[in-house]
Amino acid sequence: MQCLHYDKTTLYMENVALSELANEFGTPLYAYSFKQLISNYKRFDDAFGDYPHTICYALKANSNPTILRMLAKSGAGADVVSGGELFFALESGIKPEKIVFAGVGKRDIDIEAAIKIGIRGINVESEMEYEVISDIASRLNRVAPVSLRINPDIDIHGHPYIATGRHGDKFGITTDAALTLIDRIKSDDYCDLVGLHAHIGSQIKEIKPYESLASTMASLAKKAIDTGHRLEYIDLGGGFGLDYERALTVDINAKGDDDLSLDPSEVIPKFIDAVKDTGVHLMIEPGRALVANAGVLITEVLYLKKTGETNIIIVDAGMTELIRPSLYSAYHGIVPLEIRDADTMVADVVGPICESGDFFAREREIQHVGRGDCLAVLTTGAYGYSLASNYNARPKSIELLVRGQRVKVIRERQSLEDLWNE
Ligand SMILES: Cc1ncc(COP(=O)(O)O)c(C=O)c1O
């Protein structure tokens, strides 16, 4: 499915012209497609067939309450990394037994809450953290369900900031350390080893790292089971990559195809093949792959200028709305809301923030635009709004959900008073 398309010269999300949204609600604004979100979830869910599984959506990608409720209704569980995300997951209707808790620096108060609520598994990211979890559980006189987060030393060959499964990265424990903990937990009255977890990074576009991950995890699971643990699940994390470059071409009536570069119907059966002998439940934690291509950021052109040889288009959204280009030099397609019979130009598209690193694109070929024209920054449903900030005292943007012809405000634009009173 493709939620964005040009009808003649106008860019639509489902049945709504994005220029109408810009006129009615102002810019910058985020819009998300209901159909795309549901179809993304279903693609993953269908790929499991009958195999027992839970898709634990990684809330960090986009934690808008309406989107969370939609995914909860579709059957999703949650991968949370803070007490705040745990609260959001529960509020959205996700049952505790579908929630897993990751993160290298969990606070005692959040571990305590997770134990009391009875979530499915707390990921152990270090030996010291295991000891803290065990102490808290003993103080509460409860048994904590723990899952070991394995760092399998697999390189995903992506941006170093989003690689998380190599030795030296801060996440998880080595397989050797895991074997030691598998033994230790066996005699712990306050911890149950219920799962094994790994998340080796984001934007993974090849199947190979996943294959070696699944086989490492399956053999560790066998060892845990042989040691006498009643292991319930293996969680292979998220990271399913997208082709941001392929999101939409500015051809009239261009459809683009689904811009997931790893097809779940190819990857998930490999996971199942690797783990089925262990008989355990399978979990994955996609974030980006469920929400990224469902969202666009609409921004208005404020000014044009030329410095030296460089054309610069200054828009009203910046790193405060979308930090991925500044943070990882990430690519996002940028297209006009209205195609005109105009030449293209090569320009930097930059935001208004007082940082030279505040840009969306460098030397991008783009249709000639003028003051007041609007642009859509594509594939921004993940790690867009969730990484937004109030830097330069900028209120966060409005978020809209588009469903067919209907439009719903799913988060109001912040006001200056909201900012001042925060
Ligand atoms: C533990 C964990 N699981 C899942 C994800 C989701 O990754 P992605 O959005 O690439 O699927 C992340 C992202 O950082 C993560 O840290």
Side-chain angles (χ1 to χ4, degrees):
M1 114 132 250
Q2 171 58 256
C3 62
L4 290 174
H5 64 279
Y6 280 102
D7 187 353
K8 302 207 170 57
T9 55
T10 301
L11 185 61
Y12 279 75
M13 173 174 274
E14 300 197 17
N15 304 114
V16 174
L18 290 173
S19 49
E20 280 173 22
L21 297 186
N23 288 338
E24 184 173 349
F25 297 99
T27 54
L29 74 80
Y30 271 102
Y32 308 103
S33 154
F34 177 90
K35 279 192 194 151
Q36 186 74 60
L37 287 162
I38 296 297
S39 134
N40 289 345
Y41 180 82
K42 200 168 155 6
R43 265 184 97 187
F44 276 94
D45 201 34
D46 288 349
F48 282 93
D50 298 338
Y51 198 87
H53 65 278
T54 309
I55 298 171
C56 291
Y57 169 59
L59 262 70
K60 61 178 80 64
N62 186 326
S63 53
N64 181 286
T66 302
I67 291 178
L68 293 184
R69 276 190 221 106
M70 280 169 56
L71 289 168
K73 250 193 195 161
S74 302
D79 156 50
V80 303
V81 292
S82 67
E85 285 192 352
L86 177 56
F87 173 79
F88 277 27
L90 293 167
E91 286 293 299
S92 68
I94 296 174
K95 297 267 177 288
E97 59 270 22
K98 286 186 165 186
I99 300 176
V100 289
F101 188 5
V104 285
K106 299 179 200 73
R107 298 181 312 161
D108 291 16
I109 187 178
D110 298 329
I111 294 171
E112 187 170 325
I115 295 172
K116 283 183 177 160
I117 289 161
I119 67 166
R120 186 72 184 264
I122 305 172
N123 296 343
V124 170
E125 301 251 7
S126 63
E127 220 160 327
M128 193 186 269
E129 191 190 33
Y130 155 64
E131 284 156 12
V132 169
I133 296 171
S134 182
D135 282 352
I136 294 174
S138 109
R139 179 164 48 76
L140 297 173
N141 200 22
R142 300 278 291 262
V143 177
V146 295
S147 164
L148 301 181
R149 176 166 180 174
I150 310 301
N151 177 326
D153 200 21
I154 294 173
D155 194 347
I156 58 162
H157 304 295
H159 192 286
Y161 289 7
I162 50 175
T164 55
R166 303 163 306 173
H167 286 176
D169 292 331
K170 69 177 175 179
F171 300 96
I173 55 174
T174 62
T175 43
D176 283 348
L179 290 171
T180 309
L181 280 185
I182 286 171
D183 276 339
R184 275 185 76 184
I185 297 172
K186 193 70 205 59
S187 53
D188 186 331
D189 291 336
Y190 296 100
C191 284
D192 249 358
L193 181 64
V194 294
L196 292 178
H197 167 254
H199 169 75
I200 54 174
S202 211
Q203 264 302 75
I204 303 171
K205 294 185 176 176
E206 301 163 353
I207 205 158
K208 253 185 141 177
Y210 278 125
E211 284 178 322
S212 61
L213 172 65
S215 102
T216 303
M217 297 293 278
S219 58
L220 257 186
K222 280 178 198 139
K223 290 200 174 112
I225 292 165
D226 290 347
T227 311
H229 289 287
R230 194 181 42 82
L231 199 75
E232 294 172 7
Y233 67 85
I234 295 179
D235 178 349
L236 295 173
F240 307 92
L242 270 88
D243 272 345
Y244 281 78
E245 291 81 1
R246 227 161 35 93
L248 185 73
T249 47
V250 187
D251 286 335
I252 292 182
N253 294 329
K255 282 265 182 276
D257 56 6
D258 205 309
D259 54 1
L260 267 186
S261 55
L262 270 186
D263 185 347
S265 68
E266 281 175 33
V267 189
I268 305 300
K270 302 250 187 237
F271 286 176
I272 295 172
D273 279 351
V275 309
K276 65 177 181 241
D277 284 351
T278 63
V280 300
H281 190 94
L282 198 45
M283 287 190 190
I284 54 167
E285 302 170 346
R288 184 190 310 274
L290 295 187
V291 290
N293 64 351
V296 289
L297 170 63
I298 310 295
T299 182
E300 184 178 312
V301 175
L302 295 176
Y303 303 104
L304 293 134
K305 68 193 255 187
K306 193 162 182 168
T307 55
E309 288 306 299
T310 308
N311 292 313
I312 300 181
I313 300 171
I314 301 159
V315 295
D316 69 353
M319 63 194 291
T320 40
E321 285 67 40
L322 176 69
I323 202 173
R324 297 188 70 255
S326 310
L327 202 54
Y328 327 111
S329 300
Y331 179 97
H332 284 273
I334 302 178
V335 297
L337 298 197
E338 294 290 340
I339 297 180
R340 280 208 224 91
D341 198 8
D343 289 343
T344 58
M345 65 195 286
V346 174
D348 288 2
V349 181
V350 306
I353 310 301
C354 300
E355 297 285 338
S356 293
D358 174 37
F359 68 92
F360 288 153
R362 298 269 195 227
E363 294 184 19
R364 185 72 63 84
E365 186 170 2
I366 191 164
Q367 170 185 291
H368 260 285
V369 287
R371 179 171 161 82
D373 286 343
C374 282
L375 298 169
V377 188
L378 305 175
T379 333
T380 44
Y383 306 108
Y385 192 98
S386 62
L387 277 163
S389 78
N390 292 123
Y391 184 44
N392 284 189
R394 286 167 58 83
K396 288 192 189 164
S397 16
I398 191 168
E399 293 186 291
L400 307 171
L401 184 70
V402 172
R403 184 176 185 179
Q405 294 174 331
R406 280 180 289 157
V407 179
K408 186 176 166 195
V409 176
I410 57 171
R411 180 147 26 207
E412 294 286 356
R413 189 181 299 286
Q414 271 184 332
S415 67
L416 291 176
E417 288 71 28
D418 291 337
L419 278 190
W420 182 249
N421 294 321
E422 241 180 16

